[in-house]
């Protein structure tokens, strides 16, 4: 059920303008991409532009907007695609705001990665530069997603940026899992739910560039069908997994995250930094998957719009940071040993994702899940050596040291 | 806590002779190996011979014995190593019989694999032929194991043969898991347990040779401390994961297994063949890990000695079968595409082992577990391609067909 979409409805643009009061720029048709090749390379298809100012909304009210945004495909929710839905004068529900935000993040990040791939691929024939493959899929049980993957490229061995918007009935084991996290949900029946999110894992080829992962999600569970009463929360985070320790690169990352957090609540950074260190823990090896970042879940205080602004602010730091790292390191030299070490670390990455990661488990257990999208987080190649050991004092052992004992980087 | 052992006690030989009434051949010192290199290559250390006839005991009472067996290291249980234990005239408890059986399987299989590795490695300098590394380890909470790994060889990319004999207190979640399988165990307190087993996973380099896995285990749980009452059961199985479908090879495998089963109970083969197909199921992909074999668990009928003979009989089919396959295919040609396909299938192998395999989960959750031994089942290299697809009618699709719809091979 993969559908490649070629049009973007003006209505979204209108909605966003109405909602946020930005100027509506209408249908600016642009093609940011040089190539127009096969039909499954949606990236290269010109789309109508949109103004989605809220994506750049920061808490200091210094709003900006992008006047030439295209999505990778049509939004998932019918309501956002339908001309007949009349949003005029109505407040756009958070689930739709969040879906549009996810699409925006996906689009911006894919575009940046694609431009890096083009910049660092020495090809005379442009058409041979690897492109993002875009798959828009539907879930029989409700909802769907858009999966964008660039694989086996020059800079990126595997780069995946997914959005999914799924709804349906929450199965009892999932409810039980949420109750065990402190949610007060009735446990006697399946509950209607909606989950929207964007998630990304980028495995670069050069071991000097860390793997990056981020995810932002919004959850709604209807607890009372009659009154329409529901619970909602935000979750997400961003973290990096370096192969070669570069302290400046890590400090810069944490500094940017802290500054995004501090604009909203000065407790956020220390709390979510620790949460991240605790979460990405490969228990059997007693080491972390990477050098951390932020992780948060179940956020429902102080209110929806403030939390949404916080989430968008964090998301907004990622692409510029990562693009600058890639730009600096894409051609930096590395040894055969560096590459081997990278593949071994990728094996640990796989271990975390398949054994411990809650998102992967939840994904694979959800009826009608699209496993290809869930497992896009796995690297193109990984390696497991029995009793691999690193020489004392080596750069590998320096990395292991911070994976075993997380540091304060800011 | 890795100890390399260089001696083998005469007492074991004596025990086995007493137990089974075979002639005791005493201390026949032999070195089956051409090389004697580093201290961690225990393989090449001459050991005292043993007669362990029960390993070859078949149900038709046609007993044979090996007069020159060496183990890879000293048995785990102190009782089997101690000269002061007086077994004379006593029946050897099953836990010790089973431990010796595990050691015997390990030794025989490692020796066969090593001989294949030597035969097919074109090295003028013998010392460069890859050897089994032997690690004897202790578990702080009780027991230990012997892990034998040959890695990055000519024939074998990774070959692991483990034994472990662990004992201690069964944690409540493990008891709960057993109760859910139908064991009537008290759930109000931790219970003393003992688990002995041998397990092996062999990942060859040539895609014409399937990966093989086997495991045999014996479990004891003490349900009443005062009366010493306990429950026991056997589990295990063997299955292969081909990369290129060779129907004759598979039929031969199943035929041999059926014949080993039929000697004990004609219901065993159909029952355990189906159990195997059901167990090694990668649910999210709706395909099996391989083309099956046998899988059984919780066997406690009709009695210990009959079941033990069944287990030894199944175990006994493996090494001759696999050695003949390796011998036939070790130099058979394959393409780059075959190798890529093999790596992709290995990715699925990793998925099964880390997401679904009960043994891996139980292992990693056991306090004091040695993760290196548990994760030896993972291949040296694996690959994940987004939406990998195979051409219709190709040999890859023929394989997928039998992984999706298990066949009757006999």
């Amino acid at each position: 059920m993969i559908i490649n979409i070629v049009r973007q409805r003006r209505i979204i643009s209108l909605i966003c303008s109405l909602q946020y009061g930005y100027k509506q720029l209408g249908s600016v048709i642009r093609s940011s991409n040089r190539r127009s090749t096969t039909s499954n390379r949606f990236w290269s298809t010109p789309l109508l532009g949109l103004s989605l100012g809220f994506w750049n909304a920061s808490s200091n009210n210094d709003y900006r907007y992008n006047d030439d945004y295209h999505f990778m495909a049509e939004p998932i929710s019918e309501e956002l695609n339908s001309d007949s839905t009349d949003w005029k004068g109505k407040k756009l529900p958070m689930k739709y705001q969040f879906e549009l935000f996810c699409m925006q993040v996906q689009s911006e990040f894919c575009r940046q990665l694609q431009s890096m791939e083009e910049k660092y691929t020495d090809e005379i024939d442009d058409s041979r530069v690897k492109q993002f493959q875009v798959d828009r899929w539907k879930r029989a049980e409700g909802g769907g997603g858009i999966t964008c993957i660039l694989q086996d490229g020059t800079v990126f061995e595997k780069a995946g940026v997914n959005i999914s918007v799924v709804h349906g009935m929450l199965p009892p084991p999932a409810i039980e899992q949420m109750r065990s996290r402190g949610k007060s949900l009735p446990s006697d029946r399946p509950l209607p739910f909606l989950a929207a999110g964007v998630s990304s894992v980028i495995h670069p080829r050069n071991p000097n560039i860390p793997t990056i992962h981020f995810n932002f999600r919004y959850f709604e569970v209807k607890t009372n069908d009659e009154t329409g009463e529901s619970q909602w929360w935000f979750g997400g985070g961003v973290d990096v997994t370096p192969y070669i320790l570069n302290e400046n690169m890590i400090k810069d990352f944490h500094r940017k995250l802290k500054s995004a957090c501090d604009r909203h609540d000065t407790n956020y950074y220390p709390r979510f930094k620790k949460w991240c260190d605790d979460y990405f823990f490969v228990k059997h090896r007693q080491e972390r998957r990477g050098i951390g970042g932020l992780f948060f879940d179940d956020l429902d205080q102080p209110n929806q719009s403030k939390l949404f602004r916080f989430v968008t602010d964090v998301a907004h730091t990622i692409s510029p940071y990562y693009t600058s790292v890639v730009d600096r390191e894409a051609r930096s030299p590395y040894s055969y040993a560096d590459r081997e070490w990278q593949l071994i670390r990728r094996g640990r990455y796989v271990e975390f994702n398949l054994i411990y990661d809650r998102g992967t488990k939840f994904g694979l257990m959800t009826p009608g899940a699209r496993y290809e999208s869930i497992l896009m987080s796995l690297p193109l190649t990984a390696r497991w050596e029995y009793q691999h050991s690193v020489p004392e004092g080596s750069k590998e052992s320096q990395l292991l040291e911070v994976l075993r004992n997380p540091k304060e980087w800011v």
Side-chain angles (χ1 to χ4, degrees), chain A:
Chain A
M1 284 299 300
I2 290 150
I3 305 162
N4 285 308
I5 309 300
V6 289
R7 68 208 171 90
Q8 193 63 48
R9 303 270 174 73
R10 181 186 287 235
I11 189 77
I12 299 168
S13 179
L14 187 66
I15 289 164
C16 301
S17 306
L18 287 169
Q19 192 64 28
Y20 291 89
Y22 305 136
K23 60 179 168 175
Q24 202 252 315
L25 292 168
S27 315
V28 184
I29 298 172
R30 292 212 193 171
S31 169
S32 73
N33 203 287
R34 293 178 275 165
R35 290 167 211 90
S36 193
T37 49
T38 64
S39 65
N40 71 348
R41 288 180 180 169
F42 184 75
W43 180 256
S44 53
T45 311
L47 288 171
L48 304 191
L50 289 169
S51 74
L52 277 165
F54 68 83
W55 152 236
N56 283 321
S58 71
S59 57
N60 58 9
N61 288 327
D62 176 24
Y63 293 111
R64 287 154 295 162
Y65 53 79
N66 299 297
D67 59 5
D68 60 348
Y69 251 97
H70 348 131
F71 295 154
M72 302 302 280
E74 204 170 38
I76 301 302
S77 296
E78 281 303 318
E79 293 80 351
L80 293 173
N81 295 318
S82 164
D83 288 333
S84 62
T85 313
D86 183 16
W87 295 108
K88 210 178 277 180
K90 290 180 189 155
K91 188 168 151 56
L92 194 66
M94 180 51 74
K95 60 182 180 182
Y96 298 131
Q97 288 187 46
F98 201 82
E99 180 174 342
L100 294 172
F101 153 76
C102 290
M103 300 212 53
Q104 192 89 350
V105 172
Q106 181 182 52
S107 165
E108 177 178 277
F109 200 44
C110 285
R111 191 145 42 155
Q112 287 295 330
L113 298 174
Q114 184 71 61
S115 76
M116 290 291 113
E117 185 63 24
E118 282 162 15
K119 186 171 173 184
Y120 293 105
T121 304
D122 299 317
E123 287 284 354
I124 295 166
D125 177 6
D126 272 357
S127 72
R128 293 170 72 183
V129 176
K130 287 283 169 23
Q131 304 283 325
F132 268 97
Q133 177 186 335
V134 179
D135 296 316
R136 186 176 184 272
W137 46 274
K138 291 210 171 190
R139 180 174 166 269
E141 295 81 354
I146 303 162
T147 300
C148 302
I149 308 273
L150 188 156
Q151 187 168 268
D152 213 3
T154 306
V155 181
F156 304 108
E157 224 175 318
K158 201 155 168 195
V161 193
N162 271 344
I163 78 151
S164 67
V165 181
V166 303
H167 54 86
M169 301 306 279
L170 212 53
I175 298 174
E176 215 36 66
Q177 205 221 43
M178 287 164 186
R179 284 167 56 88
S180 75
R181 283 190 351 243
K183 297 274 164 219
S184 62
L185 297 172
S187 63
D188 56 343
R189 58 182 190 279
L191 300 171
F193 83 104
L194 169 127
V198 57
S199 71
S200 175
V201 177
I202 313 298
H203 293 293
R205 203 173 286 279
N206 191 318
N208 292 300
I209 310 174
T211 284
I212 194 165
H213 158 252
F214 68 80
N215 166 247
F216 301 103
R217 56 194 178 272
Y218 170 73
F219 229 94
E220 261 179 25
V221 182
K222 202 176 273 180
T223 46
N224 190 322
D225 256 343
E226 284 163 31
T227 62
E229 210 174 295
S230 72
Q231 290 194 32
W232 56 264
W233 62 91
F234 292 93
V238 50
D239 63 282
V240 298
T241 303
Y243 303 96
I244 295 164
L245 195 66
N246 177 335
E247 298 223 347
N248 287 337
M249 194 191 282
I250 300 172
K251 281 179 185 163
D252 185 33
F253 177 62
H254 277 270
R255 222 178 276 126
K256 284 190 162 69
L257 293 181
K258 183 171 187 301
S259 128
C261 288
D262 285 354
R263 270 178 269 159
H264 302 268
D265 188 328
T266 50
N267 291 319
Y268 280 176
Y269 176 76
R271 194 175 140 212
F272 300 155
K273 191 265 185 200
K274 183 177 181 306
W275 203 341
C276 189
D277 288 335
D278 293 346
Y279 180 79
F280 292 101
F281 186 50
V282 181
K283 199 182 163 204
H284 56 276
R285 296 192 184 267
Q286 293 285 306
E287 63 186 39
R288 270 122 213 112
R289 188 177 76 171
I291 58 79
L294 301 176
F295 184 93
F296 49 88
D297 205 355
D298 301 318
L299 298 195
D300 53 10
Q301 297 293 332
N303 62 46
Q304 258 189 358
S305 61
K306 281 190 178 169
L307 286 170
F308 184 46
R309 276 209 291 275
F310 161 67
V311 168
T312 56
D313 248 15
V314 171
H316 196 51
T317 62
I318 298 169
S319 185
Y321 168 76
Y322 198 61
T323 310
S324 78
V325 171
V326 171
D327 219 13
R328 198 168 56 243
E329 301 290 347
R331 285 191 169 143
S332 68
Y334 59 89
S335 68
Y336 184 80
D338 293 338
R339 172 68 176 165
E340 290 276 289
W341 171 241
Q342 182 199 42
L343 296 183
I344 284 167
R345 295 304 315 164
R346 290 217 167 129
R348 317 275 161 103
Y349 206 92
V350 172
E351 286 175 31
F352 179 83
N353 285 22
L354 297 187
I355 301 176
Y356 300 106
D357 187 49
R358 227 163 59 190
T360 306
K361 276 188 198 167
F362 180 83
L364 291 177
M365 276 176 215
T366 305
R370 187 174 187 267
Y371 65 83
E372 287 282 4
S373 300
I374 297 161
L375 299 180
M376 65 96 195
S377 67
L378 304 181
L380 193 59
T381 42
R383 192 173 168 89
W384 283 271
E385 284 183 20
Y386 175 70
Q387 281 196 326
H388 183 270
S389 67
V390 300
E392 219 174 299
S394 63
K395 57 184 179 179
E396 290 86 354
S397 82
Q398 283 163 19
L399 178 67
L400 280 180
E401 173 58 29
V402 301
L403 298 180
R404 285 175 188 149
N405 305 297
K407 275 176 67 168
E408 293 306 321
W409 299 100
V410 185

